[in-house]
Amino acid sequence: MEGGKDVRVESAPYCCSTCDGGEVPARTLIRRNRKVRSLSTSSASTSFEYRRTQSLHGPSPVTTFGPKACMLQNPHAVMHIQDPASQRLTWNKPPKSVLVIKKIRDASLLQPFKELCMFLTEGKNMIVYVEKKVLEDPAISGDENFAAVTKKFCTFREDLDDISNRVDFIICLGGDGTLLYASSLFQESVPPVMAFHLGSLGFLTPFKFDMYQSQVNQIIEGNTAIVLRSRLKVRVLKENWEKKARVDEKGIILTNGDIESSRKAMQYQVLNEVVVDRGPSSYLSNVDLFLDGHLITTVQGDGVIVSTPTGSTAYAVAAGASMIHPNVPAIMITPICPHSLSFRPIVVPAGVELKIMLSRDARNTAWVSFDGRKRQEICHGDSITITTSCFPVPSICFRDPVNDWFESLAECLHWNVRKKQNYLSSEDEEF
């Protein structure tokens, strides 16, 4: 595969259509016009290592050039994804369970939530998963007419209960933040997501709730367009420095000045962006940015944004970056208020490995957040490693990936809206 070295990633075993391995246990498949390799979502083993190509999306390019030239074949390439324009959702078995994500503390969503849950449980006889804190809302727990429905729910708690192998698809009620939250619940394979626009912006939520019954029926029947929204796999490695202590003959605790270091690693799946900023400090942020092990620049300013194409229309576009369609395999690097007129946002290929560390001469620490959550301090010796995840979010389209995206640009961001120029008649041209 073109574009430098492959990136080694840990994940579940894979199975291709031509091998004699086990059955692919994924709940959803993408229809293919030719034989391609696909990733299994089996969680039986997570220690298997495989090598993936640099590109997450897009058709396989022609590798013969002219009458005699060709590209050297990579025997370790294991994943070729079809043309995103032909991506369709289907089911290998009828879906039986659904996760309903509702925006917390929003009274306007109570009635749509109750209607949808009654339709799914009583009308479609489906198993409905709801977060436990949603049912703790007095407006829901105190509704006697809705009590019979809530008894049928399966509940879970964030960061405590694993529902990755129990949910067939997801329905989000709210704004874009609801979809981001749904993505954070699944650190590996993500079920297909159907998002209803019941929030403020709604860039990632193409469905209107007025016709929810027919639209949900269409999803259950399958054969709908989807867009694979790539995510970032982020690994934060922190150095925990502690002073060693000893006790003297009188029982007094003394510190001898020696320090020991213990490494702590945390991993996240990010749909929009990773933001590294200066936090509460008044000094400029001063962090080094590495690409595939090579120092490419030092960011001096308020910080830096590393985003997916989905996140290009969020914080990145507010900081001056371009808007990129979700099907484009890329990672965006956008400085926040850089102290340099020539520091412009750049786009790098999906699959490269980025690393962010504090510079040696940095006057202060930095802070990092992931899709606006899990904010934490980054000190000297800590590192943030970012690459493209092998587990995208399959977002169900209202029409298709292209029309949905441009409609969101027009309705939510008012892209290229201006007063039109008056028509120039032949008489006006004489003057």
Short mmCIF file of all heavy atoms in Angstrom, two decimals, residues 135-192:
data_model
loop_
_atom_site.label_atom_id
_atom_site.label_comp_id
_atom_site.label_asym_id
_atom_site.label_seq_id
_atom_site.Cartn_x
_atom_site.Cartn_y
_atom_site.Cartn_z
N LEU A 135 -33.47 7.00 33.75
CA LEU A 135 -34.69 6.57 34.43
C LEU A 135 -34.83 7.17 35.82
O LEU A 135 -35.89 7.08 36.44
CB LEU A 135 -34.73 5.05 34.53
CG LEU A 135 -34.72 4.30 33.19
CD1 LEU A 135 -34.83 2.81 33.42
CD2 LEU A 135 -35.84 4.78 32.29
N GLU A 136 -33.77 7.77 36.34
CA GLU A 136 -33.84 8.42 37.65
C GLU A 136 -34.48 9.80 37.58
O GLU A 136 -34.72 10.43 38.63
CB GLU A 136 -32.43 8.53 38.25
CG GLU A 136 -31.82 7.17 38.60
CD GLU A 136 -30.37 7.29 39.04
OE1 GLU A 136 -29.82 8.41 38.95
OE2 GLU A 136 -29.79 6.27 39.47
N ASP A 137 -34.76 10.28 36.38
CA ASP A 137 -35.46 11.56 36.23
C ASP A 137 -36.85 11.44 36.84
O ASP A 137 -37.62 10.53 36.49
CB ASP A 137 -35.55 11.90 34.74
CG ASP A 137 -36.06 13.31 34.49
OD1 ASP A 137 -36.75 13.86 35.38
OD2 ASP A 137 -35.78 13.86 33.42
N PRO A 138 -37.23 12.33 37.78
CA PRO A 138 -38.55 12.24 38.41
C PRO A 138 -39.70 12.26 37.41
O PRO A 138 -40.76 11.66 37.66
CB PRO A 138 -38.59 13.48 39.33
CG PRO A 138 -37.15 13.78 39.59
CD PRO A 138 -36.42 13.41 38.35
N ALA A 139 -39.52 12.95 36.27
CA ALA A 139 -40.58 13.01 35.27
C ALA A 139 -40.82 11.65 34.63
O ALA A 139 -41.90 11.40 34.08
CB ALA A 139 -40.23 14.04 34.21
N ILE A 140 -39.82 10.75 34.70
CA ILE A 140 -39.98 9.41 34.14
C ILE A 140 -40.34 8.41 35.23
O ILE A 140 -41.27 7.62 35.09
CB ILE A 140 -38.70 8.97 33.40
CG1 ILE A 140 -38.45 9.88 32.20
CG2 ILE A 140 -38.79 7.52 32.96
CD1 ILE A 140 -37.18 9.57 31.43
N SER A 141 -39.59 8.45 36.33
CA SER A 141 -39.84 7.50 37.42
C SER A 141 -41.19 7.74 38.08
O SER A 141 -41.80 6.82 38.64
CB SER A 141 -38.73 7.59 38.47
OG SER A 141 -38.66 8.90 39.02
N GLY A 142 -41.71 8.98 38.05
CA GLY A 142 -42.98 9.29 38.68
C GLY A 142 -44.18 9.15 37.77
O GLY A 142 -45.31 9.41 38.19
N ASP A 143 -43.97 8.76 36.53
CA ASP A 143 -45.08 8.60 35.58
C ASP A 143 -45.63 7.19 35.70
O ASP A 143 -45.02 6.22 35.25
CB ASP A 143 -44.59 8.87 34.16
CG ASP A 143 -45.72 8.95 33.15
OD1 ASP A 143 -46.85 8.53 33.50
OD2 ASP A 143 -45.48 9.41 32.02
N GLU A 144 -46.81 7.07 36.32
CA GLU A 144 -47.39 5.74 36.52
C GLU A 144 -47.82 5.09 35.21
O GLU A 144 -47.77 3.87 35.08
CB GLU A 144 -48.60 5.85 37.46
CG GLU A 144 -48.23 6.35 38.86
CD GLU A 144 -49.45 6.45 39.75
OE1 GLU A 144 -50.58 6.21 39.26
OE2 GLU A 144 -49.27 6.77 40.96
N ASN A 145 -48.23 5.89 34.25
CA ASN A 145 -48.66 5.33 32.97
C ASN A 145 -47.48 4.75 32.18
O ASN A 145 -47.67 3.88 31.33
CB ASN A 145 -49.35 6.41 32.12
CG ASN A 145 -50.62 6.92 32.77
OD1 ASN A 145 -51.32 6.17 33.45
ND2 ASN A 145 -50.92 8.20 32.57
N PHE A 146 -46.27 5.24 32.48
CA PHE A 146 -45.07 4.78 31.76
C PHE A 146 -44.34 3.69 32.55
O PHE A 146 -43.36 3.14 32.06
CB PHE A 146 -44.15 5.98 31.52
CG PHE A 146 -43.06 5.72 30.52
CD1 PHE A 146 -43.34 5.38 29.21
CD2 PHE A 146 -41.72 5.82 30.89
CE1 PHE A 146 -42.34 5.14 28.29
CE2 PHE A 146 -40.70 5.60 29.98
CZ PHE A 146 -41.02 5.25 28.68
N ALA A 147 -44.80 3.39 33.75
CA ALA A 147 -44.10 2.44 34.62
C ALA A 147 -44.07 1.04 34.02
O ALA A 147 -43.08 0.32 34.15
CB ALA A 147 -44.76 2.41 35.99
N ALA A 148 -45.15 0.65 33.33
CA ALA A 148 -45.19 -0.70 32.74
C ALA A 148 -44.14 -0.86 31.66
O ALA A 148 -43.60 -1.95 31.44
CB ALA A 148 -46.58 -0.96 32.17
N VAL A 149 -43.80 0.23 30.98
CA VAL A 149 -42.78 0.17 29.92
C VAL A 149 -41.39 0.14 30.53
O VAL A 149 -40.52 -0.61 30.08
CB VAL A 149 -42.93 1.38 28.97
CG1 VAL A 149 -41.85 1.35 27.88
CG2 VAL A 149 -44.32 1.38 28.34
N THR A 150 -41.17 0.94 31.57
CA THR A 150 -39.83 1.00 32.17
C THR A 150 -39.42 -0.33 32.81
O THR A 150 -38.23 -0.63 32.91
CB THR A 150 -39.77 2.10 33.24
OG1 THR A 150 -40.79 1.85 34.23
CG2 THR A 150 -40.00 3.47 32.62
N LYS A 151 -40.40 -1.13 33.21
CA LYS A 151 -40.07 -2.44 33.79
C LYS A 151 -39.45 -3.38 32.76
O LYS A 151 -38.75 -4.34 33.13
CB LYS A 151 -41.33 -3.07 34.38
CG LYS A 151 -41.85 -2.35 35.62
CD LYS A 151 -43.11 -3.02 36.16
CE LYS A 151 -43.63 -2.30 37.38
NZ LYS A 151 -44.88 -2.93 37.91
N LYS A 152 -39.69 -3.13 31.50
CA LYS A 152 -39.15 -3.97 30.43
C LYS A 152 -37.74 -3.53 30.01
O LYS A 152 -37.09 -4.23 29.23
CB LYS A 152 -40.08 -3.95 29.22
CG LYS A 152 -41.49 -4.43 29.51
CD LYS A 152 -42.35 -4.34 28.25
CE LYS A 152 -43.78 -4.78 28.53
NZ LYS A 152 -44.65 -4.67 27.31
N PHE A 153 -37.29 -2.36 30.48
CA PHE A 153 -35.99 -1.83 30.06
C PHE A 153 -34.85 -2.65 30.66
O PHE A 153 -34.97 -3.21 31.76
CB PHE A 153 -35.83 -0.37 30.49
CG PHE A 153 -36.69 0.60 29.72
CD1 PHE A 153 -36.94 1.87 30.21
CD2 PHE A 153 -37.26 0.24 28.51
CE1 PHE A 153 -37.72 2.76 29.51
CE2 PHE A 153 -38.04 1.13 27.80
CZ PHE A 153 -38.28 2.38 28.30
N CYS A 154 -33.74 -2.68 29.94
CA CYS A 154 -32.46 -3.14 30.47
C CYS A 154 -31.62 -1.90 30.73
O CYS A 154 -31.44 -1.07 29.83
CB CYS A 154 -31.76 -4.07 29.49
SG CYS A 154 -32.61 -5.64 29.21
N THR A 155 -31.12 -1.76 31.94
CA THR A 155 -30.37 -0.56 32.30
C THR A 155 -28.87 -0.86 32.39
O THR A 155 -28.46 -2.01 32.52
CB THR A 155 -30.85 0.01 33.64
OG1 THR A 155 -30.67 -0.99 34.66
CG2 THR A 155 -32.32 0.38 33.57
N PHE A 156 -28.08 0.20 32.30
CA PHE A 156 -26.63 0.09 32.43
C PHE A 156 -26.09 1.38 32.99
O PHE A 156 -26.79 2.41 33.03
CB PHE A 156 -25.98 -0.21 31.07
CG PHE A 156 -26.02 0.95 30.10
CD1 PHE A 156 -24.92 1.79 29.95
CD2 PHE A 156 -27.15 1.21 29.35
CE1 PHE A 156 -24.95 2.85 29.08
CE2 PHE A 156 -27.20 2.28 28.47
CZ PHE A 156 -26.09 3.10 28.34
N ARG A 157 -24.84 1.34 33.42
CA ARG A 157 -24.16 2.51 33.98
C ARG A 157 -22.87 2.77 33.21
O ARG A 157 -22.12 1.83 32.92
CB ARG A 157 -23.85 2.30 35.46
CG ARG A 157 -25.08 2.18 36.35
CD ARG A 157 -24.72 1.61 37.70
NE ARG A 157 -24.22 0.23 37.58
CZ ARG A 157 -23.75 -0.48 38.58
NH1 ARG A 157 -23.70 0.05 39.80
NH2 ARG A 157 -23.33 -1.71 38.39
N GLU A 158 -22.63 4.02 32.88
CA GLU A 158 -21.43 4.39 32.13
C GLU A 158 -20.17 4.02 32.90
O GLU A 158 -20.09 4.21 34.11
CB GLU A 158 -21.44 5.90 31.84
CG GLU A 158 -20.26 6.37 31.01
CD GLU A 158 -20.17 7.87 30.90
OE1 GLU A 158 -20.98 8.56 31.57
OE2 GLU A 158 -19.31 8.36 30.18
N ASP A 159 -19.19 3.47 32.19
CA ASP A 159 -17.88 3.09 32.73
C ASP A 159 -17.94 1.89 33.69
O ASP A 159 -16.91 1.48 34.22
CB ASP A 159 -17.18 4.25 33.44
CG ASP A 159 -16.88 5.41 32.50
OD1 ASP A 159 -16.67 5.15 31.30
OD2 ASP A 159 -16.85 6.56 32.96
N LEU A 160 -19.13 1.34 33.90
CA LEU A 160 -19.25 0.20 34.82
C LEU A 160 -19.78 -1.05 34.12
O LEU A 160 -19.33 -2.16 34.40
CB LEU A 160 -20.16 0.56 36.00
CG LEU A 160 -19.64 1.64 36.95
CD1 LEU A 160 -20.68 1.94 38.02
CD2 LEU A 160 -18.33 1.21 37.60
N ASP A 161 -20.75 -0.89 33.24
CA ASP A 161 -21.37 -2.03 32.58
C ASP A 161 -20.97 -2.06 31.10
O ASP A 161 -20.99 -1.03 30.42
CB ASP A 161 -22.90 -1.95 32.69
CG ASP A 161 -23.36 -1.94 34.14
OD1 ASP A 161 -22.76 -2.68 34.94
OD2 ASP A 161 -24.31 -1.20 34.47
N ASP A 162 -20.63 -3.25 30.62
CA ASP A 162 -20.23 -3.44 29.23
C ASP A 162 -21.43 -3.95 28.43
O ASP A 162 -21.95 -5.03 28.69
CB ASP A 162 -19.07 -4.44 29.15
CG ASP A 162 -18.56 -4.61 27.73
OD1 ASP A 162 -18.93 -3.78 26.86
OD2 ASP A 162 -17.81 -5.57 27.48
N ILE A 163 -21.88 -3.15 27.46
CA ILE A 163 -23.02 -3.54 26.62
C ILE A 163 -22.61 -3.67 25.15
O ILE A 163 -23.46 -3.70 24.26
CB ILE A 163 -24.16 -2.51 26.74
CG1 ILE A 163 -23.68 -1.11 26.34
CG2 ILE A 163 -24.74 -2.49 28.15
CD1 ILE A 163 -24.80 -0.09 26.25
N SER A 164 -21.31 -3.77 24.90
CA SER A 164 -20.81 -3.76 23.53
C SER A 164 -21.32 -4.93 22.71
O SER A 164 -21.48 -4.81 21.49
CB SER A 164 -19.28 -3.75 23.54
OG SER A 164 -18.78 -4.86 24.26
N ASN A 165 -21.57 -6.07 23.33
CA ASN A 165 -22.03 -7.25 22.59
C ASN A 165 -23.52 -7.51 22.78
O ASN A 165 -24.00 -8.61 22.47
CB ASN A 165 -21.24 -8.48 23.03
CG ASN A 165 -19.79 -8.41 22.61
OD1 ASN A 165 -19.47 -7.90 21.54
ND2 ASN A 165 -18.91 -8.92 23.44
N ARG A 166 -24.25 -6.53 23.29
CA ARG A 166 -25.67 -6.73 23.56
C ARG A 166 -26.58 -5.87 22.69
O ARG A 166 -27.77 -6.16 22.58
CB ARG A 166 -25.96 -6.44 25.03
CG ARG A 166 -25.16 -7.29 26.01
CD ARG A 166 -25.49 -6.89 27.44
NE ARG A 166 -24.65 -7.61 28.40
CZ ARG A 166 -24.70 -7.43 29.71
NH1 ARG A 166 -25.56 -6.55 30.22
NH2 ARG A 166 -23.90 -8.11 30.52
N VAL A 167 -26.04 -4.82 22.11
CA VAL A 167 -26.86 -3.83 21.40
C VAL A 167 -26.68 -4.01 19.90
O VAL A 167 -25.56 -4.05 19.39
CB VAL A 167 -26.46 -2.40 21.83
CG1 VAL A 167 -27.24 -1.37 21.01
CG2 VAL A 167 -26.71 -2.21 23.32
N ASP A 168 -27.82 -4.08 19.18
CA ASP A 168 -27.78 -4.23 17.73
C ASP A 168 -27.66 -2.89 17.01
O ASP A 168 -26.94 -2.78 16.02
CB ASP A 168 -29.03 -4.96 17.24
CG ASP A 168 -29.06 -6.41 17.70
OD1 ASP A 168 -27.97 -6.98 17.89
OD2 ASP A 168 -30.15 -6.97 17.89
N PHE A 169 -28.37 -1.89 17.48
CA PHE A 169 -28.20 -0.54 16.92
C PHE A 169 -28.57 0.49 17.97
O PHE A 169 -29.10 0.15 19.04
CB PHE A 169 -28.97 -0.35 15.61
CG PHE A 169 -30.48 -0.30 15.75
CD1 PHE A 169 -31.17 0.90 15.70
CD2 PHE A 169 -31.22 -1.47 15.89
CE1 PHE A 169 -32.54 0.95 15.81
CE2 PHE A 169 -32.59 -1.44 16.00
CZ PHE A 169 -33.26 -0.23 15.96
N ILE A 170 -28.28 1.75 17.68
CA ILE A 170 -28.43 2.84 18.65
C ILE A 170 -29.36 3.91 18.06
O ILE A 170 -29.28 4.22 16.86
CB ILE A 170 -27.07 3.48 18.99
CG1 ILE A 170 -26.07 2.42 19.48
CG2 ILE A 170 -27.22 4.59 20.02
CD1 ILE A 170 -24.65 2.94 19.60
N ILE A 171 -30.21 4.47 18.90
CA ILE A 171 -31.03 5.62 18.53
C ILE A 171 -30.71 6.75 19.49
O ILE A 171 -30.79 6.59 20.71
CB ILE A 171 -32.54 5.29 18.58
CG1 ILE A 171 -32.88 4.21 17.55
CG2 ILE A 171 -33.36 6.55 18.31
CD1 ILE A 171 -34.35 3.82 17.53
N CYS A 172 -30.33 7.90 18.94
CA CYS A 172 -29.96 9.07 19.75
C CYS A 172 -31.07 10.12 19.65
O CYS A 172 -31.53 10.45 18.55
CB CYS A 172 -28.64 9.68 19.27
SG CYS A 172 -27.20 8.64 19.58
N LEU A 173 -31.46 10.65 20.81
CA LEU A 173 -32.43 11.74 20.88
C LEU A 173 -31.73 12.93 21.52
O LEU A 173 -31.41 12.92 22.70
CB LEU A 173 -33.65 11.33 21.72
CG LEU A 173 -34.43 10.10 21.27
CD1 LEU A 173 -35.55 9.80 22.26
CD2 LEU A 173 -35.00 10.29 19.88
N GLY A 174 -31.49 13.96 20.73
CA GLY A 174 -30.79 15.13 21.25
C GLY A 174 -30.02 15.84 20.14
O GLY A 174 -30.39 15.80 18.97
N GLY A 175 -28.89 16.43 20.52
CA GLY A 175 -28.05 17.13 19.57
C GLY A 175 -26.80 16.34 19.24
O GLY A 175 -26.71 15.12 19.46
N ASP A 176 -25.79 17.04 18.72
CA ASP A 176 -24.54 16.39 18.34
C ASP A 176 -23.82 15.79 19.54
O ASP A 176 -23.16 14.76 19.42
CB ASP A 176 -23.62 17.41 17.65
CG ASP A 176 -24.19 17.88 16.33
OD1 ASP A 176 -25.12 17.22 15.82
OD2 ASP A 176 -23.73 18.92 15.81
N GLY A 177 -23.95 16.42 20.70
CA GLY A 177 -23.30 15.89 21.90
C GLY A 177 -23.82 14.52 22.29
O GLY A 177 -23.09 13.72 22.86
N THR A 178 -25.07 14.24 21.96
CA THR A 178 -25.63 12.92 22.26
C THR A 178 -24.96 11.84 21.43
O THR A 178 -24.67 10.74 21.93
CB THR A 178 -27.15 12.92 21.99
OG1 THR A 178 -27.74 14.05 22.62
CG2 THR A 178 -27.78 11.65 22.51
N LEU A 179 -24.68 12.14 20.17
CA LEU A 179 -23.98 11.18 19.32
C LEU A 179 -22.54 10.99 19.79
O LEU A 179 -22.02 9.86 19.79
CB LEU A 179 -24.00 11.65 17.87
CG LEU A 179 -23.28 10.76 16.84
CD1 LEU A 179 -23.86 9.36 16.84
CD2 LEU A 179 -23.36 11.36 15.45
N LEU A 180 -21.89 12.06 20.21
CA LEU A 180 -20.53 11.94 20.74
C LEU A 180 -20.51 11.08 21.99
O LEU A 180 -19.59 10.28 22.19
CB LEU A 180 -19.96 13.33 21.04
CG LEU A 180 -19.75 14.27 19.85
CD1 LEU A 180 -19.30 15.64 20.34
CD2 LEU A 180 -18.74 13.70 18.89
N TYR A 181 -21.52 11.25 22.84
CA TYR A 181 -21.59 10.44 24.05
C TYR A 181 -21.82 8.97 23.71
O TYR A 181 -21.22 8.08 24.32
CB TYR A 181 -22.71 10.96 24.95
CG TYR A 181 -22.93 10.13 26.18
CD1 TYR A 181 -22.01 10.14 27.23
CD2 TYR A 181 -24.05 9.32 26.32
CE1 TYR A 181 -22.20 9.39 28.37
CE2 TYR A 181 -24.25 8.55 27.45
CZ TYR A 181 -23.32 8.59 28.47
OH TYR A 181 -23.51 7.83 29.60
N ALA A 182 -22.67 8.70 22.74
CA ALA A 182 -22.92 7.31 22.33
C ALA A 182 -21.64 6.68 21.80
O ALA A 182 -21.36 5.50 22.07
CB ALA A 182 -24.01 7.28 21.26
N SER A 183 -20.84 7.43 21.07
CA SER A 183 -19.57 6.91 20.57
C SER A 183 -18.63 6.55 21.70
O SER A 183 -17.92 5.53 21.65
CB SER A 183 -18.91 7.94 19.65
OG SER A 183 -17.57 7.59 19.33
N SER A 184 -18.61 7.35 22.77
CA SER A 184 -17.69 7.11 23.89
C SER A 184 -18.03 5.85 24.66
O SER A 184 -17.20 5.33 25.40
CB SER A 184 -17.68 8.32 24.83
OG SER A 184 -18.93 8.44 25.51
N LEU A 185 -19.25 5.34 24.53
CA LEU A 185 -19.65 4.14 25.26
C LEU A 185 -19.06 2.87 24.66
O LEU A 185 -19.06 1.82 25.31
CB LEU A 185 -21.18 4.02 25.28
CG LEU A 185 -21.95 5.12 26.02
CD1 LEU A 185 -23.45 4.91 25.86
CD2 LEU A 185 -21.57 5.16 27.49
N PHE A 186 -18.55 2.95 23.42
CA PHE A 186 -18.05 1.78 22.73
C PHE A 186 -16.60 2.02 22.34
O PHE A 186 -16.31 2.84 21.47
CB PHE A 186 -18.90 1.48 21.49
CG PHE A 186 -20.33 1.18 21.80
CD1 PHE A 186 -21.27 2.21 21.92
CD2 PHE A 186 -20.76 -0.12 22.00
CE1 PHE A 186 -22.58 1.94 22.23
CE2 PHE A 186 -22.08 -0.40 22.30
CZ PHE A 186 -23.00 0.63 22.42
N GLN A 187 -15.69 1.32 22.98
CA GLN A 187 -14.27 1.49 22.74
C GLN A 187 -13.76 0.63 21.60
O GLN A 187 -12.62 0.78 21.17
CB GLN A 187 -13.48 1.19 24.01
CG GLN A 187 -13.71 2.18 25.13
CD GLN A 187 -13.39 3.61 24.71
OE1 GLN A 187 -12.27 3.93 24.35
NE2 GLN A 187 -14.40 4.48 24.73
N GLU A 188 -14.60 -0.27 21.11
CA GLU A 188 -14.21 -1.05 19.93
C GLU A 188 -15.33 -0.92 18.90
O GLU A 188 -15.66 0.17 18.49
CB GLU A 188 -13.90 -2.51 20.32
CG GLU A 188 -12.62 -2.64 21.13
CD GLU A 188 -12.18 -4.08 21.33
OE1 GLU A 188 -12.93 -4.99 20.93
OE2 GLU A 188 -11.08 -4.29 21.87
N SER A 189 -15.91 -2.05 18.48
CA SER A 189 -16.94 -2.00 17.44
C SER A 189 -18.17 -1.24 17.92
O SER A 189 -18.66 -1.47 19.02
CB SER A 189 -17.31 -3.42 17.03
OG SER A 189 -18.32 -3.40 16.05
N VAL A 190 -18.67 -0.33 17.06
CA VAL A 190 -19.82 0.50 17.39
C VAL A 190 -21.03 0.03 16.57
O VAL A 190 -20.92 -0.11 15.36
CB VAL A 190 -19.54 1.99 17.11
CG1 VAL A 190 -20.71 2.86 17.56
CG2 VAL A 190 -18.26 2.43 17.78
N PRO A 191 -22.18 -0.21 17.20
CA PRO A 191 -23.39 -0.53 16.43
C PRO A 191 -23.82 0.65 15.57
O PRO A 191 -23.45 1.80 15.84
CB PRO A 191 -24.44 -0.84 17.52
CG PRO A 191 -23.64 -1.10 18.76
CD PRO A 191 -22.41 -0.27 18.65
N PRO A 192 -24.60 0.41 14.51
CA PRO A 192 -25.10 1.52 13.69
C PRO A 192 -25.89 2.52 14.52
O PRO A 192 -26.62 2.14 15.43
CB PRO A 192 -25.99 0.82 12.65
CG PRO A 192 -25.52 -0.59 12.63
CD PRO A 192 -25.03 -0.90 14.00
#
